[in-house]
Amino acid sequence: MSIDLLRHGDTGQRSYRGQLDDPLTDLGWAQLRAAVEGREWDQVVSSSMSRCARFATELAERRGLPLRLDPRLAEYHFGQWQGVPIEDIAESQGEALARFWSDPVAHPPPGAETFDAFHARLREAIDDVAREAADARVLVVTHGGAIRLLRCVVEKRAFGDMAGIDVPHASLHPIRWA
């Protein structure tokens, strides 16, 4: 079994988007199409958010692959910071932002999803992917925060390392899920 995590492409937004359901830009579509060119999978699982699901649906249909949309693969809910430009947060709540980046578990944004809930739903979703996959090659289309958290789990890193993990738009991240 192999699992490749793919971050959605560009949405043209420059803030914590979280669970705001933004569409991809033309650039985002092109990034994703280029990222999967020449690669093979047996099935696709995707976040149900449109910036992931629409591309996953196109890819699965074009290649004749089974597709499952899973809302548990949605991005972290950033509470009151969702949709606010990071520069504005840094200006008005700089200390809170720095605490969040250094320890997202202990210092979530105001009104945000708890980190334990985020971790639990992602772990359950990937556990199900691994159970269903057997020896299949699975593409999981999801979000930057989700990929950072899952990489911390797989790489046995502290969640405070999440901010230092580079996850550009349309980047692929192979993981070995135990």
Side-chain angles (χ1 to χ4, degrees), residues 53-65:
R54 289 191 58 216
F55 173 76
T57 300
E58 175 192 275
L59 179 68
E61 287 175 357
R62 195 173 69 229
R63 296 191 181 181
L65 300 173

Side-chain angles (χ1 to χ4, degrees), residues 2 5 13 22 30 52 61 67 80-81 92 95 109-110 130 136 146 176:
S2 70
L5 306 175
Q13 304 295 325
D22 301 310
C52 298
E61 287 175 357
L67 168 67
Q80 294 173 15
W81 291 357
S92 64
E95 289 180 21
R176 295 226 180 269

Side-chain angles (χ1 to χ4, degrees), residues 19-36:
Q19 294 182 9
L20 299 175
D21 203 11
D22 301 310
L24 294 169
T25 62
D26 289 343
L27 171 62
W29 280 99
Q31 290 170 325
L32 287 166
R33 289 175 181 137
V36 301

